[in-house]
Amino acid sequence: MAWTDAALEVLGVGGEPVGAPDEVAMLERWIGGALPEAVREWFLLGGDRRLAAVSSNLVTTARDFGSPAVGRFLDSGHLLLETELQHCCRWVVAVEAAYGDPPVYLVGPDDDACVTRSRYAAAFSEYVFAAAWDAVLWAGEMAADFDHPLPAGALEVLKRRLTALPVTYGWAMNQECDAVHRFEGEAKVAVAVTGGTAVWSAVAAPDAGLRRALAELIGADGDV
């Protein structure tokens, strides 16, 4: 899966299996069949452990497969992927192999049956890429601003100037949002949007002038 490969590259994980085949086999016996290809690949290549090491949230790793929390979600046909640090929400994916690269959903923090689910990412591989990319972005040197107007057309300009990356929906680090837009190229830019407001934005660029120009483009503080 292209975005899984990109996520592993962001995390510095090689392409050889270094994950937990015994745990994956145990989980597949539990669910009575193979995991979706993208999900299986992620755990066999050890992406789960590396993401857990850099994420501020509680990321499910293969060693957690036998835990009661994971078991409760499996009863509804979903694998628990991640729990927000303050227990505001959780991320889940369907375990039916037919999906291949299934969408990832947000659910309420105590909704083991996943009746509150809403689409977070169009595909599992896009979810892991976004999670890895965000974690690395916020851990590095970047300029951030919060709750500022987003000028009309700013996202379209970013799409022309940089490469658009997977978009996620419904949650932005520690709050609800419409969507999180990500871009990279000569700089890295992330904008979490609700209506016409950027609930937060982040810009990473090696050149201070470029950083200021991109911040001003999206309506952030030009001095960041």
Side-chain angles (χ1 to χ4, degrees):
M1 302 294 175
W3 288 115
T4 301
D5 292 343
L8 294 169
E9 183 176 351
V10 167
L11 294 171
V13 179
E16 296 298 322
V18 295
D22 292 343
E23 286 84 351
V24 170
M26 177 199 73
L27 180 60
E28 292 184 327
R29 287 195 298 271
W30 189 347
I31 65 176
L35 289 164
E37 181 183 355
V39 179
R40 194 173 198 275
E41 177 186 40
W42 175 249
F43 287 100
L44 287 178
L45 293 176
D48 56 318
R49 292 183 298 175
R50 180 58 183 150
L51 180 59
V54 299
S55 176
S56 60
N57 290 332
L58 304 175
V59 174
T60 298
T61 66
R63 69 183 63 179
D64 301 316
F65 285 168
S67 70
V70 170
R72 290 194 298 271
F73 281 93
L74 289 174
D75 287 342
S76 70
H78 295 83
L79 176 63
L80 172 64
L81 298 173
E82 184 179 354
T83 302
E84 199 271 337
L85 182 61
Q86 296 180 326
H87 203 67
C88 293
C89 61
R90 285 174 153 168
W91 290 256
V92 300
V93 65
V95 294
E96 295 179 39
Y99 284 107
D101 193 6
V104 168
Y105 295 95
L106 283 170
V107 297
D110 301 310
D111 179 18
D112 299 348
C114 300
V115 297
T116 61
R117 71 182 196 178
S118 62
R119 182 74 64 91
Y120 177 76
F124 175 82
S125 60
E126 294 188 6
Y127 154 77
V128 293
F129 175 81
W133 193 88
D134 289 357
V136 171
L137 174 68
W138 284 91
E141 293 186 11
M142 55 87 190
D145 198 7
F146 302 87
D147 297 318
H148 61 83
L150 180 66
L155 296 177
E156 292 304 316
V157 174
L158 286 173
K159 288 177 184 178
R160 292 194 296 268
R161 184 164 182 174
L162 302 171
T163 299
L165 300 174
V167 177
T168 54
Y169 303 90
W171 192 257
M173 290 198 310
N174 61 352
Q175 60 190 303
E176 294 180 354
C177 73
D178 292 340
V180 180
H181 300 268
R182 301 167 180 86
F183 307 87
E184 70 177 10
E186 58 182 344
K188 294 182 178 181
V189 180
V191 188
V193 179
T194 294
T197 298
V199 295
W200 56 255
S201 61
V203 180
D207 178 75
L210 175 60
R211 188 168 60 248
R212 285 193 296 271
L214 290 171
E216 290 171 358
L217 169 65
I218 58 177
D221 185 348
D223 294 328
V224 296

